[in-house]
Amino acid sequence: MDNTPDIAVIIPVYNTAEYLPKCMDNVLASKFRSMEIILVDDGSTDGKSPSLCDDYASADPRVRVIHKENGGLQSAWIEGVRASTASYLSFIDSDDWIDSEFFEELYAHTSQAFKSCEIISSDYMIEKQNERKEVHHMVSCGQHFGEDLDNIKSRLLGQEQRTVILSRCMKLISRKLITDNLKYCDSAIRLGEDVNITIPALCDCKRLYVTDKCYYHYRTVTTSISHSHNTEILDNIKLLCDTCSDVMSEKGIKNARTQADREYLRLMFVYVKNELRAQYPGVLSAVRATLMEKGLRDKILKTKLEVSNKANKLIYFGMKHPLRIVLKLIQTILLTYDRKTN
């Protein structure tokens, strides 16, 4: 009798003792039993997280703990992948949580015919202190394969709303799609690092199934790289987009470079928002100087980009017209919104 579990749940942990109980309690409350749960303690220093992980392992035989030196989020989930045995992999960040029916509902949509090459995904809920917001895939719910899936692959990057949400979380992913593509994971990429693995996995997948339920809850934290000032963000944007272009080209995606260029501008929206929110001395001059650099300026003015979201329209206007007074107005609007929702 094969005792290999159907799903490996991989949870990286770093100083998240405050949030881990909610995450784990919901995982353990699932009626789906055929799973292994791998907690990867990435060198936590809070004096609580390591022992809390060990307590869960002692209480449930399905839970295993890996204690490792700190190497960052990507190194932690990769360690979990290598320690796992299941046919499908599911990733949960330890400060997030899932609804208890997550595994049961997603596994019901798997296909034995595509067991080694499919992705099943739910939608998710953004959880802020004073705001909850549903986030959905742009593709219709249900299964996609063949020419339909090829069309989706031509629209993975550079869209205002993700055609397919590119987080490694909220999904069941065939093991082979992850293990075959670990070679593309670059620890130098910090912004949008999940794209390291989800882009090649999506390019290789033969069946995609999307539900319309928000089973995954993403807790926003102010220490995340995409919500705070980081002087390396511009280099990361370039590296990420160049890497995506190279990977997608290698996988046979014909419009890889076009998708990457559009993604570059979308990520510049993130850069502008982060910088203006950081409020460090000289921020307006720094943002203006960046937006006026010739290579970026040409990309902003020449790349065709559809923008309908009100906040993104505001940022896009500032990118096209980076006057100090315009950037100051945008900064004021962003900070006012943050005070109302945090």
Side-chain angles (χ1 to χ4, degrees), residues 254-298:
K254 295 180 180 179
N255 67 338
R257 185 69 256 177
T258 299
Q259 288 195 61
D261 286 345
R262 290 174 179 164
E263 184 71 8
Y264 189 100
L265 292 188
R266 298 287 184 194
L267 291 175
M268 285 304 300
F269 291 175
V270 179
Y271 164 79
V272 173
K273 289 177 186 177
N274 287 351
E275 294 294 282
L276 294 180
R277 281 171 165 152
Q279 302 183 76
Y280 59 88
V283 60
L284 299 181
S285 296
V287 172
R288 173 174 164 75
T290 298
L291 296 175
M292 290 301 294
E293 291 178 2
K294 187 180 188 313
L296 177 56
R297 192 87 191 126
D298 289 344

Side-chain angles (χ1 to χ4, degrees), residues 223-251:
T223 54
S224 170
I225 187 173
S226 58
H227 295 281
S228 60
H229 172 56
N230 188 296
T231 57
E232 298 178 353
I233 194 170
L234 292 172
D235 291 338
N236 265 263
I237 289 174
K238 185 179 187 306
L239 177 59
L240 174 64
C241 292
D242 286 346
T243 299
C244 287
S245 178
D246 292 344
V247 170
M248 295 176 79
S249 294
E250 182 179 327
K251 300 286 188 181

